[in-house]
């Protein structure tokens, strides 16, 4: 990608990350926060400006637009999808991106006043980006490369295709979603209106990542019911909910947690806890790629609660268990040509595909179960949901090139 288009990509990305779009868990409405409308409306207008057709935004802030095919042969419609909200896990307000041209490969002082530094000793992969244009936070917020890098790549790719009609392409559907970070990005996505035969989310991390497996995911809200009385007169009367929560936590496998697992290993993640002697509420996340092991994990949580309640002789541990999404592999395994297309596109432009299972979720998981097979492709960002989040311009440019190459390659492979 030449300097002119790289500059467009960078300008677009910086505008997106400076627009506040943090989502909020536990809110019924979609989008969960009003600020998401600002970028959604901007994206709708931008797609119209660059020349897409049938651009729309619905009452829930889902944005769609279409680039018609420029060949006579009948081809499938291919979609590209990204989300515009940012994670509530770390502040996404007042993002102040820092650009490090020709990055030197060493430690980066993100914020001198607050002495916030990103150390190569903690993030050794930083060395791989020496000489590139590195974009970081100022240490006080996340960056929002998850997934505003994906937004910028998709918009830049379709604009490039519009301005280069000599490149053959199928019909391309573009979709931007709210609330992915709170697990609802695909809930109201209109698959029929989108009209794609399959799609790709541009929501992965390192260059080359191509994913068509993800965690099966469930959430558990666990309420521990105590009995509060004056501590001076508590013998044989008080029941301390904090202690019940402690015992429940101790019953979970200590080594099956996010910080001690990788690859295809599942985990239990105690995400938030709050309360007092009378009542404690724990939010627990349950994850596993394997469907059978996933069910075992959920059953194990229920078994702990049942055992504790039996010992108490009454219900003091209440579990509300909800499935969130499932492994998309089940929906894609018979449609591997869509994975092969992305893999070959990467190889054609000199990228070595890194095919692996996602240790997380993606809109593509839910969309695959709604009838839109949707593997995930890298967007280039690193250290998502944290003050140490970063991306390089070169990584985003490579992702943009993959989109363009998929369009080009599809006309060769699927014309009929």
């Amino acid at each position: 990608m030449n300097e002119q288009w790289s500059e467009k990509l960078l300008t677009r990305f910086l505008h997106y990350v400076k627009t506040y779009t943090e989502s909020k868990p536990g809110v019924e409405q979609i989008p969960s926060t009003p600020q998401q409308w600002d970028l959604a409306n901007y994206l709708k207008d931008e797609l119209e400006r660059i020349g897409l057709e049938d651009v729309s935004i619905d009452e829930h802030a889902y944005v769609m637009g279409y680039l018609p095919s420029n060949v006579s042969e009948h081809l499938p419609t291919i979609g590209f999808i990204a989300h515009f909200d940012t994670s509530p896990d770390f502040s996404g307000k007042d993002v102040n991106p820092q650009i490090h041209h020709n990055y030197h490969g060493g430690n980066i002082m993100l914020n001198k006043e607050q002495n916030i530094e990103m150390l190569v000793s903690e993030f050794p992969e930083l060395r791989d980006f020496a000489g590139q244009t590195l974009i970081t936070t100022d240490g006080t917020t996340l960056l929002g490369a998850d997934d505003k890098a994906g937004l910028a790549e998709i918009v830049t790719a379709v604009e490039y295709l519009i301005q280069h009609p000599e490149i053959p392409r199928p019909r391309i559907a573009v979709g931007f979603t709210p609330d992915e970070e709170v697990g609802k990005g695909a809930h109201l996505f209109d698959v029929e209106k989108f009209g794609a035969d399959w799609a790709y989310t541009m929501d992965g991390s390192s260059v080359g990542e191509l994913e068509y497996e993800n965690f099966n995911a469930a959430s558990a809200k666990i309420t521990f019911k105590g009995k509060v009385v004056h501590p001076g007169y508590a013998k044989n009367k008080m029941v301390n909910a904090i202690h019940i929560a402690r015992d429940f936590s101790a019953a979970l496998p200590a080594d099956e947690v996010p910080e001690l697992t990788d690859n295809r290993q599942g985990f239990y993640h105690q995400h938030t806890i709050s309360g007092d002697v009378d009542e404690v509420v724990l939010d627990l996340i349950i994850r596993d790629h394997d469907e059978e092991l996933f069910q075992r994990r959920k059953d194990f949580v229920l078994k702990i609660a049942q055992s504790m309640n039996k010992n108490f002789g009454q219900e003091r541990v209440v579990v509300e268990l909800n499935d969130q999404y499932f492994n998309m592999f089940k929906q894609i395994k018979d449609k591997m040509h869509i994975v092969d297309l992305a893999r070959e596109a990467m190889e054609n432009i000199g990228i070595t595909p890194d095919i692996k299972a996602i240790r997380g979720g993606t809109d593509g998981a839910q969309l695959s179960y709604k009838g839109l097979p949707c593997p995930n492709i890298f967007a280039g960002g690193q250290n998502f949901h944290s003050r140490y989040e970063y991306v390089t311009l070169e990584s985003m440019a490579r992702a943009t090139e993959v989109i363009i190459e998929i369009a080009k390659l599809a006309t060769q492979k699927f014309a009929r």
Side-chain angles (χ1 to χ4, degrees):
M1 180 164 285
N2 64 33
E3 187 175 342
Q4 174 197 356
W5 283 95
S6 291
E7 190 60 35
K8 279 191 175 189
L9 180 60
L10 177 60
T11 300
R12 189 165 270 142
F13 175 70
L14 294 178
H15 177 84
Y16 295 166
V17 298
K18 290 177 184 178
T19 306
Y20 179 43
T21 59
E22 187 174 309
S23 51
K24 184 177 181 179
V27 177
E28 263 189 48
Q29 68 186 28
I30 297 175
S32 59
T33 53
Q35 60 262 21
Q36 292 183 66
W37 280 103
D38 294 337
L39 187 51
N41 284 317
Y42 179 88
L43 288 165
K44 185 255 187 185
D45 293 343
E46 186 174 33
L47 293 182
E48 290 178 334
R49 284 198 305 272
I50 66 173
L52 263 64
E53 297 182 353
D54 299 322
V55 177
S56 66
I57 184 168
D58 70 10
E59 66 271 26
H60 298 288
Y62 289 82
V63 179
M64 294 183 184
Y66 303 88
L67 180 61
S69 174
N70 63 355
V71 298
S72 59
E73 295 88 353
H74 180 74
L75 294 165
T77 296
I78 299 177
F80 293 94
I81 297 169
H83 65 90
F84 48 75
D85 67 313
T86 60
S87 172
D89 291 346
F90 200 75
S91 175
K93 191 173 185 180
D94 298 322
V95 172
N96 181 28
Q98 309 294 299
I99 304 174
H100 309 267
H101 295 285
N102 194 24
Y103 165 56
H104 53 72
N107 297 340
I108 302 172
M109 181 59 72
L110 299 176
N111 193 304
K112 192 171 184 179
E113 287 183 2
Q114 298 186 36
N115 194 33
I116 300 171
E117 191 172 12
M118 185 155 55
L119 305 175
V120 173
S121 59
E122 295 180 351
F123 305 104
E125 67 278 0
L126 277 167
R127 296 190 185 95
D128 298 336
F129 301 104
Q132 297 188 27
T133 298
L134 189 74
I135 308 158
T136 70
T137 75
D138 68 357
T140 63
T141 69
L142 50 69
L143 179 61
D146 179 16
D147 185 28
K148 292 171 181 177
L151 295 175
E153 292 152 8
I154 293 170
V155 177
T156 303
V158 293
E159 183 183 25
Y160 187 90
L161 288 169
I162 288 168
Q163 295 192 15
H164 289 80
E166 74 279 4
I167 299 175
R169 63 175 190 259
R171 181 172 184 260
I172 292 174
V174 171
F176 301 140
T177 68
D179 282 350
E180 189 270 355
E181 296 292 3
V182 292
K184 300 189 299 182
H187 279 19
L188 300 180
F189 190 97
D190 191 334
V191 169
E192 185 176 354
K193 175 184 173 183
F194 193 57
D197 292 88
W198 70 83
Y200 303 95
T201 48
M202 302 299 297
D203 196 17
S205 183
S206 299
V207 171
E209 284 186 358
L210 173 57
E211 300 152 328
Y212 58 92
E213 293 187 73
N214 59 277
F215 276 138
N216 296 291
S219 64
K221 178 184 177 183
I222 306 170
T223 303
F224 304 95
K225 298 179 178 181
K227 186 199 306 180
V228 62
V229 297
H230 190 290
Y233 304 91
K235 188 172 181 181
N236 298 324
K237 297 177 182 177
M238 177 186 287
V239 179
N240 194 324
I242 297 172
H243 296 166
I244 304 174
R246 175 199 62 197
D247 293 342
F248 181 93
S249 176
L252 294 170
D255 59 344
E256 295 180 19
V257 293
E259 59 269 35
L260 296 176
T261 53
D262 60 8
N263 298 321
R264 294 182 59 84
Q265 296 173 317
F267 58 72
Y268 304 91
H269 178 39
Q270 298 177 71
H271 186 253
T272 59
I273 189 168
S274 61
D276 51 27
V277 171
D278 198 51
E279 183 176 281
V280 170
V281 176
L282 168 67
D283 290 320
L284 181 70
I285 290 173
I286 303 167
R287 300 287 188 268
D288 210 295
H289 290 100
D290 183 272
E291 189 173 4
E292 183 178 341
L293 294 179
F294 176 58
Q295 186 61 48
R296 286 185 194 175
R297 290 186 183 279
K298 292 187 291 182
D299 291 344
F300 185 63
V301 168
L302 294 172
K303 184 177 179 181
I304 296 172
Q306 290 166 359
S307 176
M308 295 180 72
N309 287 331
K310 184 177 180 180
N311 290 337
F312 281 116
Q314 57 184 292
E315 189 177 57
R316 292 201 174 275
V317 183
V318 179
V319 179
E320 299 174 47
L321 191 61
N322 293 293
D323 289 326
Q324 295 171 299
Y325 51 83
F326 300 100
N327 192 340
M328 73 172 94
F329 175 68
K330 194 172 182 179
Q331 303 300 313
I332 293 179
K333 63 182 180 180
D334 296 325
K335 306 174 182 70
M336 289 300 291
H337 62 280
I338 68 179
V339 176
D340 293 338
L341 176 66
R343 175 188 53 76
E344 189 173 339
M346 290 185 193
E347 292 172 343
N348 285 356
I349 60 173
I351 295 173
T352 301
D354 180 15
I355 299 176
K356 60 183 182 180
I358 308 169
R359 286 187 60 78
T362 166
D363 275 347
Q366 294 184 49
L367 291 172
S368 293
Y369 279 87
K370 292 180 75 169
L372 179 65
C374 196
N376 191 44
I377 292 174
F378 72 91
Q382 306 284 336
N383 299 338
F384 296 150
H385 301 189
S386 81
R387 69 174 82 245
Y388 302 108
E389 187 180 7
Y390 67 89
V391 69
T392 71
L393 178 58
E394 288 78 2
S395 296
M396 289 195 293
R398 297 256 70 191
T400 305
E401 291 166 0
V402 169
I403 296 171
I404 295 166
E405 185 62 23
I406 286 174
K408 186 190 306 183
L409 188 59
T411 63
Q412 301 170 20
K413 297 180 74 71
F414 301 112
R416 61 181 190 272

